[in-house]
Amino acid sequence: MRIRRPATPAAVVAGLALLTGCSNAVGAEVAPHATDPVCASVVLAMPDSLGDGLPKRDTTAQATTAWGDPEHPIVLRCGVEPLGPTTEHCQTVETPGGPSIDWVVVENDDKSWTLTTYGRTPAVELHVPASVASADGSSYVDLLGPAVALTRQTRSCL
């Protein structure tokens, strides 16, 4: 007969460390339409990096991905509510050798940016923290074009 002893506190802490690992998974909120099958394709097609210092990161929610510093990441969510007609700034971003994608660009009160695809289903949202927006602008948005082009275009910026 084998007697099992309760785990020591050190063993419990070691086990939790193995479960959580040294993961720098970025906390992200799932979008309302994240279960749209196209979102899986979009997220899987995203680039591994958006440039120097902006490597791809794991996230905690379906149909999301992130890049950069885990404390201040760029976060992309697929399956957000599609935008209707708007007076916000709509910018067409040309992808070198590829599709053009329309984004509605909004500067938030905290100087972060939110870019949401316009005229695409499912809609994709990109949140750029203020620290990245001020340092890198939006020079990497064209890298998202091939993946975002997997969504269906229904309208375009005027």
Side-chain angles (χ1 to χ4, degrees):
M1 176 178 218
R2 199 167 186 201
I3 298 175
R4 297 194 129 197
R5 296 187 181 160
T8 64
V12 170
V13 169
L16 288 174
L18 284 174
L19 287 174
T20 59
C22 294
S23 173
N24 284 329
V26 171
E29 185 178 324
V30 68
H33 306 288
T35 57
D36 187 313
V38 173
C39 284
S41 299
V42 168
V43 170
L44 288 172
M46 285 295 157
D48 290 334
S49 172
L50 295 182
D52 291 337
L54 298 172
K56 194 172 188 182
R57 301 282 180 192
D58 291 331
T59 58
T60 60
Q62 177 181 355
T64 63
T65 194
W67 297 269
D69 178 358
E71 297 297 318
H72 304 283
I74 296 170
V75 177
L76 180 136
R77 300 185 317 144
C78 183
V80 297
E81 288 292 332
L83 297 175
T86 181
T87 58
E88 297 289 347
H89 177 69
C90 191
Q91 175 75 39
T92 300
V93 176
E94 301 292 331
T95 301
S100 60
I101 306 294
D102 293 336
W103 297 89
V104 171
V105 181
V106 176
E107 184 175 359
N108 302 307
D109 292 339
D110 65 356
K111 301 297 182 196
S112 66
W113 296 354
T114 301
L115 291 80
T116 307
T117 54
Y118 181 75
R120 290 201 170 260
T121 305
V124 175
E125 176 187 86
L126 186 70
H127 179 77
V128 182
S131 59
V132 176
S134 64
D136 295 323
S138 60
S139 61
Y140 45 78
V141 175
D142 64 333
L143 299 175
L144 307 177
V148 174
L150 297 172
T151 62
R152 185 172 53 95
Q153 184 173 7
T154 58
R155 295 186 288 230
S156 60
C157 292
L158 296 176

